[in-house]
Amino acid sequence: MSYLFNTPEDLQQMLEAIGVGSIDDLFACIPPSLRLDRPLQLPPAMGELELSRHMSALAASNRCAEDTICFLGGGSYDHFIPAVVDALASRGEFYTSYTPYQPEVSQGNLQAMFEYQTMVCQLTGMDVSNASLYDGGSAAVEAVLMCLSATRRDGNVVVPASVHPEYRQILETYLINLGTQLVTVPTDDGVVDPDALAAVVNDRTACVLIQHPNFFGCLEQVEAVGRIAHDAGALLVQAFDPISLGLLKRPGDLGADIAIAEGQSLGNPMIFGGPYLGIMACRDQFVRRLPGRIAGQTTDRRGRRCWVLTLQTREQHIRRDKATSNICTNQGLIAVRAAIYLSVLGPQGLRQTAEQCLQKARYAMQQIAASQRFEAAFAAPTFKEFVVRDTEDRVTQLLRDSCQHGILAGVPLGRWYPQWQDAFLVTVTEKRTRSEIDALAKVLADGGRAV
Amino acid sequence: MRNQTSMRLIFELSRSGRGSTVLPPLDVPEQHVQDLLPPDSLADAPPPLPEVAEPDVVRHFTNLSTLNMAVDTHYYPLGSCTMKYNPKRNERLSSLPGFLHLHPYQDEETLQGLLQVLFELQQTLGEIAGLPAVTLQPAAGAHGELTALMIAAAYFRDLGQQRTKVLAPDSAHGTNPASARMAGFQTVTVKSTRAGFVDVDDLRAKLDDSVAVFMITNPNTLGLFDQQMSQIADWVHERGGLIYLDGANMNAILGIARPGDFGADMMHYNPHKTFSGPHGGGGPGAGPVCVRRHLGDYLPAPVVSRHGDRFTLEKLPPKSIGRVRSFFGNVGVLLRAYCYLCTHGPDGLRRVSENAVLNANYLLSRVKHFLPVPQGDRCMHEFVASASKLKKETGVTAMDLAKRLLDYGFHAPTVYFPLTVPEAVMVEPTETESKETLDAFAETLFRITGETAELLHEAPHSTLISRPDEVQAARKPVMRWTSE
């Protein structure tokens, strides 16, 4: 009750002013037959101290990346988060405000959105960015929907199996209602074969969605795939890893029409999958098809530079069923965190982070493959994650035993790829040390039995 | 006293070569990058991000934050958004390391504490809704709407029924028709009566066997409870359709009435509104969806189940629509909602709604004398006044009132929504405000209605900037900074 204000005296004065005798009278508009005639069946209220004990006990019963050594990835990563990010993003003026409908008293958020959009453009080499979507998966599906409308084609969408399996599941969920076919191209070698992809792209294809580095950590031939898409009159959507762009060519330089990403890596904790950040940037020609909020620069009545939400005629509150998307609430605070993170890292910090991921991941792969039992599943070059094949085909037991020894060794692939029950995905971020990597290699070599 | 550099962009503070070293030296044998990755995959230089020192970053973003109005600093009666107090305890407890550093692909055995929270949250939301099957996956209210409509589409596909239409009232949130289209439906708008309720004649004229779902917000966007609800539900159900409840206004009826009891088959919550999750300058939110048991098989996965004292994540059941988001959902927002629900319990939740409705009716009783409220003397948790008369008499618009309120240190109400009320001023006081604040707001609004039109057209006068030129922003959009 600590958040309420009204005293018994307030209550009396307010009821009198309204002209009713009791609070119940205010609910007379709800017919008795539609009202709940019993208390909600919920546990009684907890005070702050009780709640703190309760939550602390629940949190402590989990095993997290702080009390284990985490080599899990697949779209959610244990990257280092500088203290600055939490210190600034936890300011109440950022996190207890809402969508900047009143620009005169929201310049802080609007400018931060504008800076975020600029950084996304710098990061991706694209022309324009929105102010965020829910997560990488929803960004993927929104990008595909943009392509359907931009190309006026709704026949099919082509996706290699090396794109995040959950992104493909989301696409399936959405596309079934729109009558568009999702064509999946096998990636037996860990990357898509451009010739195999070319065989299924046709004049009814709206776009090709490629992930680079892909779900297995492998580098794809994005430019070749882009040429195939463009030759058929389709668009190219590239899902990217923001950290990888400290080293790799940018989506804009590889020919992507729309670039999307899971932005969690940019200063956000893993927190079991969310809130995360859907990054989306595109070429100028598609700007009026972009979903979500966009901050734009303008001037006020005295000619001072300022920022507003712009191109709102794309959005649901204006266009209703003709809007580019239904999105309203986005991930504003997470976008601010990403902007703070990228500001702290700068170009050199991003490069350094990317290089350490690459170097450490490669070292880890070499250490793991030193054991006869394991081999790299694919020959293609990889960035910060890679797939390991267990020649003894006992992945489930191996990972469970490793966990017993405090090492979250990898993500089993069998749950999405039945043909690869013997494989798991290992991720190494800049946070992992040589001794942690050596411990991983040892626990795997010992079959999960000892560190 | 304001720091004059605070309005500069961070890119304008950048100096080549400035910046901070973040990482310790590499501790594994270094190999040539060109030997590890194909040279043609590598960029010549890293992205041209700003190069600033850490103190720069701190001062810059701290100063930016002070340019916002927020719930922590100001009264924020933004209708339909439920800008209630965001408890600090929820921030702390949702950020405990044992939650914050969980990877979404960890083994269930390492996640039992978290899964217990999520399971209990599913149960609690189901009980408050009167709709027992729950998914926590959608990332926002609109995402929840879309999820529910996709569930409806899958359900009717299963029944072998071709239903192509979704009905929604003209007073509905814009997300309703936009979500319907994304789920492959055609939206048909149902009129409202002058009193602000669903025009049942229009509804019945448009209701046929091609209608999959009727979307209704109840209490509606005028802050009124539509008493025709169960009759409407009967008509829709007789034609085989489903009722979807937009749960944006749940703050009015917690523990008082349950959507499942008054006819809804599916609904979403906005935990960032009703359950005090902070709005984050535009997000993150969450959009859990509750449905009747027979629709539960269609929920997106994963859903948390309990087997004895163990909690598990159920993978895709055969009828599930699949996934609507990667990983589990906006867990951080859900943890805050859980803390809020634990803090209140059954009596506390009821008192939340009672006080939200009391505050709204009190403010209505004060405002209606100088700013007409077309739809009556009573409301639920919010009301919609109209500046229509004022505009006719003086030329002062709802926008002018909104802008002038900023001068007096109040965030503006929602204006020009719902579309059915001309010059709409939509006020949602919430329960976490005092009578003194409501009095001060009403007095200020009254005072403003007596100010000159010239003064109001130019408002706000005391904010950092005056009204921005939105036409210019849209005509020649500048959506990023570029070095000249």
Side-chain angles (χ1 to χ4, degrees):
Chain A
M1 289 341 85
S2 49
Y3 314 140
L4 300 178
F5 281 85
N6 294 327
T7 64
E9 198 185 348
D10 290 334
L11 175 65
Q12 276 319 312
Q13 288 176 5
M14 293 164 85
L15 290 174
E16 270 169 40
I18 299 165
V20 294
S22 70
I23 284 187
D24 276 352
D25 293 347
L26 297 174
F27 291 93
C29 55
I30 306 181
S33 62
L34 301 187
R35 281 190 237 167
L36 184 64
D37 57 4
R38 59 166 175 83
L40 288 170
Q41 289 172 358
L42 299 176
M46 285 185 212
E48 181 170 358
L49 183 57
E50 264 174 297
L51 181 66
S52 297
R53 284 197 197 108
H54 177 63
M55 294 301 281
S56 298
L58 288 167
S61 72
N62 298 317
R63 295 197 73 186
C64 72
E66 293 287 278
D67 48 46
T68 56
I69 307 172
C70 180
F71 292 95
L72 306 184
S76 174
Y77 301 104
D78 186 25
H79 286 290
F80 180 65
I81 304 173
V84 177
V85 179
D86 286 321
L88 295 173
S90 61
R91 287 188 64 88
E93 299 95 324
F94 277 132
Y95 83 81
T96 73
S97 58
Y98 196 29
T99 304
Y101 294 121
Q102 298 294 339
E104 298 87 346
V105 291
S106 311
Q107 285 297 299
N109 279 334
L110 284 161
Q111 185 174 332
M113 282 164 75
F114 185 83
E115 293 180 349
Y116 162 83
Q117 288 167 198
T118 303
M119 287 185 215
V120 168
C121 292
Q122 293 171 335
L123 193 62
T124 58
M126 305 300 286
D127 299 323
V128 54
S129 161
N130 71 7
S132 77
L133 296 168
Y134 308 135
D135 70 326
S138 61
V141 78
E142 291 279 2
V144 165
L145 297 180
M146 270 173 82
C147 294
L148 295 179
S149 92
T151 59
R152 297 171 190 277
R153 292 176 177 189
D154 58 3
N156 63 71
V157 167
V158 174
V159 185
S162 53
V163 167
H164 198 303
E166 294 192 353
Y167 293 8
R168 291 184 287 115
Q169 288 174 332
I170 298 166
L171 280 171
E172 251 172 75
T173 303
Y174 277 64
L175 292 181
I176 190 171
N177 296 310
L178 304 177
T180 300
Q181 197 193 352
L182 184 68
V183 179
T184 307
V185 186
T187 51
D188 295 341
D189 301 325
V191 289
V192 71
D193 170 4
D195 291 337
L197 184 124
V200 297
V201 171
N202 56 40
D203 61 5
R204 300 193 62 229
T205 304
C207 65
V208 176
L209 164 62
I210 191 157
Q211 185 176 349
H212 164 76
N214 67 25
F215 184 69
F216 311 122
C218 300
L219 272 49
E220 296 275 9
Q221 297 180 56
V222 180
E223 285 169 290
V225 169
R227 278 192 294 273
I228 293 164
H230 290 147
D231 286 349
L235 298 176
L236 179 69
V237 181
Q238 187 199 327
F240 62 94
D241 171 352
I243 300 296
S244 74
L245 298 179
L247 279 172
L248 299 179
K249 280 186 181 161
R250 305 178 297 174
D253 302 329
L254 294 174
D257 298 292
I258 304 174
I260 59 109
E262 175 49 72
Q264 176 265 336
S265 297
L266 303 177
N268 296 287
M270 298 188 290
I271 191 161
F272 198 61
Y276 285 1
L277 171 65
I279 296 177
M280 175 181 271
C282 69
R283 299 200 181 278
D284 264 334
Q285 70 207 81
F286 304 115
V287 62
R288 283 174 202 272
R289 297 184 195 278
L290 260 183
R293 311 286 187 199
I294 304 176
Q297 184 179 313
T298 187
T299 49
D300 76 353
R301 290 186 176 178
R302 289 173 52 190
R304 289 172 294 201
R305 180 176 71 174
C306 60
W307 287 274
V308 290
L309 290 178
T310 196
L311 302 183
Q312 294 193 66
T313 50
R314 299 165 297 111
E315 293 190 59
Q316 47 77 27
H317 61 287
I318 310 279
R319 288 292 291 281
R320 301 179 76 85
D321 61 330
K322 308 231 170 16
T324 53
S325 163
N326 69 336
I327 189 169
C328 177
T329 295
N330 57 23
Q331 303 290 112
L333 187 68
I334 313 298
V336 170
R337 293 181 66 98
I340 297 167
Y341 177 85
L342 287 170
S343 303
V344 175
L345 260 68
Q348 295 312 324
L350 187 69
R351 163 151 283 187
Q352 195 189 12
T353 302
E355 273 201 42
Q356 290 217 4
C357 290
L358 173 70
Q359 296 282 357
K360 290 178 175 184
R362 206 50 72 89
Y363 173 77
M365 187 159 94
Q366 286 154 358
Q367 297 307 108
I368 293 168
S371 158
Q372 295 275 318
R373 180 172 166 179
F374 302 106
E375 59 190 27
F378 307 120
T382 55
F383 171 55
K384 72 182 180 197
E385 43 203 329
F386 53 90
V387 176
V388 175
R389 183 163 289 138
D390 172 14
T391 58
E392 293 182 16
D393 195 7
R394 291 191 296 116
V395 169
T396 308
Q397 195 58 46
L398 179 72
L399 296 179
R400 195 161 288 165
D401 290 347
S402 306
C403 181
Q404 292 293 320
H405 290 96
I407 295 181
L408 307 177
V411 177
L413 286 192
R415 66 193 279 190
W416 301 290
Y417 301 92
Q419 70 274 32
W420 291 328
Q421 297 291 343
D422 60 347
F424 58 100
L425 180 69
V426 178
T427 302
V428 189
T429 69
E430 77 286 2
K431 270 176 84 172
R432 299 288 73 85
T433 63
R434 180 177 187 159
S435 65
E436 289 173 339
I437 297 168
D438 290 343
L440 168 72
K442 176 135 178 29
V443 82
L444 290 178
D446 294 348
R449 279 183 295 273
V451 182
Chain B
M1 144 173 192
R2 178 160 294 287
N3 179 341
Q4 294 305 315
T5 61
S6 67
M7 294 291 282
R8 295 175 71 189
L9 288 161
I10 195 146
F11 314 104
E12 294 162 347
L13 305 174
S14 175
R15 294 291 176 274
S16 179
R18 194 174 279 168
S20 359
T21 309
V22 192
L23 298 175
L26 187 67
D27 61 353
V28 301
E30 185 165 3
Q31 306 175 59
H32 284 295
V33 171
Q34 284 77 4
D35 295 342
L36 299 178
L37 297 177
D40 68 351
S41 69
L42 298 172
D44 297 333
L49 295 164
E51 296 179 72
V52 288
E54 184 170 316
D56 262 343
V57 177
V58 171
R59 198 168 285 163
H60 177 73
F61 283 99
T62 302
N63 277 307
L64 277 192
S65 77
T66 65
L67 308 182
N68 292 334
M69 269 192 184
V71 171
D72 275 3
T73 58
H74 291 81
Y75 181 40
Y76 212 127
L78 191 67
S80 203
C81 299
T82 317
M83 302 299 287
K84 62 170 76 177
Y85 168 64
N86 309 128
K88 299 300 167 194
R89 71 186 68 165
N90 302 355
E91 295 303 306
R92 178 197 277 178
L93 299 176
S94 62
S95 301
L96 294 169
F99 296 127
L100 214 52
H101 305 294
L102 295 176
H103 189 282
Y105 293 145
Q106 280 182 224
D107 191 286
E108 286 163 357
E109 289 307 307
T110 65
L111 297 167
Q112 288 298 305
L114 176 76
L115 296 183
Q116 183 182 333
V117 168
L118 298 173
F119 179 79
E120 289 178 6
L121 182 60
Q122 288 174 188
Q123 301 288 103
T124 300
L125 295 179
E127 164 68 5
I128 296 170
L131 296 166
V134 183
T135 174
L136 301 175
Q137 193 172 72
H143 203 213
E145 289 171 14
L146 176 60
T147 301
L149 292 172
M150 293 196 294
I151 289 170
Y155 170 71
F156 290 119
R157 237 187 337 264
D158 240 24
L159 295 180
Q161 295 180 11
Q162 287 270 344
R163 291 179 181 258
T164 53
K165 289 183 202 151
V166 164
L167 305 186
D170 50 11
S171 59
H173 297 110
T175 51
N176 288 187
S179 298
R181 202 195 59 157
M182 283 177 84
F185 293 107
Q186 181 202 341
T187 316
V188 179
T189 303
V190 176
K191 287 189 208 133
S192 300
T193 61
R194 285 176 64 93
F197 300 109
V198 173
D199 181 334
V200 291
D201 294 334
D202 194 46
L203 170 66
R204 297 193 75 183
K206 288 167 178 167
L207 190 59
D208 59 30
D209 295 344
S210 70
V211 172
V213 179
F214 179 54
M215 301 181 84
I216 184 166
T217 311
N218 200 20
N220 67 20
T221 57
L222 293 163
L224 304 173
F225 191 90
D226 198 325
Q227 304 191 359
Q228 312 167 103
M229 184 71 220
S230 62
Q231 180 64 68
I232 290 171
D234 287 346
W235 286 326
V236 171
H237 290 147
E238 275 163 24
R239 303 308 293 257
L242 297 171
I243 297 278
Y244 179 77
L245 182 107
D246 179 329
N249 295 339
M250 283 301 287
N251 211 44
I253 57 169
L254 299 171
I256 290 163
R258 306 195 306 169
D261 298 343
F262 60 68
D265 302 294
M266 315 182 283
M267 68 164 288
H268 79 264
Y269 287 96
N270 301 84
H272 48 295
K273 299 179 182 177
T274 315
F275 304 132
S276 79
H279 285 68
V289 168
C290 306
V291 299
R292 289 203 189 283
R293 201 172 296 285
H294 72 282
L295 296 170
D297 295 344
Y298 299 91
L299 290 175
V303 167
V304 185
S305 298
R306 178 185 206 151
H307 304 278
D309 59 352
R310 307 308 289 166
F311 298 92
T312 58
L313 285 165
E314 298 301 323
K315 308 294 182 310
L316 286 179
K319 286 184 172 178
S320 166
I321 59 165
R323 278 191 159 274
V324 295
R325 188 198 179 280
S326 48
F327 310 117
F328 188 85
N330 278 351
V331 174
V333 180
L334 300 170
L335 284 165
R336 286 168 177 80
Y338 177 82
C339 288
Y340 184 83
L341 290 161
C342 287
T343 299
H344 286 82
D347 298 339
L349 289 176
R350 195 182 160 100
R351 242 168 288 175
V352 162
S353 288
E354 288 175 349
N355 280 277
V357 171
L358 174 69
N359 281 2
N361 276 285
Y362 176 68
L363 195 53
L364 167 66
S365 77
R366 297 213 48 173
V367 167
K368 68 181 179 187
H369 303 297
F370 56 89
L371 206 58
V373 178
Q375 274 82 19
D377 282 347
R378 296 275 183 279
C379 64
M380 297 296 284
H381 65 301
E382 67 188 355
F383 63 89
V384 181
S386 170
S388 202
K389 185 159 165 274
L390 191 67
K391 188 181 171 190
K392 269 192 213 103
E393 290 168 4
T394 65
V396 169
T397 64
M399 184 63 81
D400 294 335
L401 296 179
K403 296 300 182 192
R404 185 60 176 153
L405 278 166
L406 307 177
D407 277 332
Y408 288 100
F410 294 105
H411 195 279
T414 297
V415 287
Y416 301 107
F417 183 79
L419 309 176
T420 49
V421 176
E423 297 297 318
V425 178
M426 186 190 211
V427 186
E428 181 177 8
T430 85
E431 72 283 6
T432 60
E433 298 294 339
S434 67
K435 179 171 171 295
E436 298 92 287
T437 299
L438 304 181
D439 285 335
F441 178 77
E443 281 152 22
T444 302
L445 193 57
F446 176 67
R447 179 172 167 183
I448 291 172
T449 56
E451 292 181 330
T452 66
E454 293 68 37
L455 183 74
L456 297 186
H457 291 327
E458 290 301 313
H461 299 275
S462 63
T463 48
L464 189 71
I465 58 161
S466 57
R467 289 191 207 187
D469 185 345
E470 300 194 10
V471 175
Q472 175 198 322
R475 191 177 299 145
K476 284 189 178 171
V478 178
M479 293 164 288
R480 59 177 295 190
W481 173 85
T482 44
S483 56
E484 298 305 330

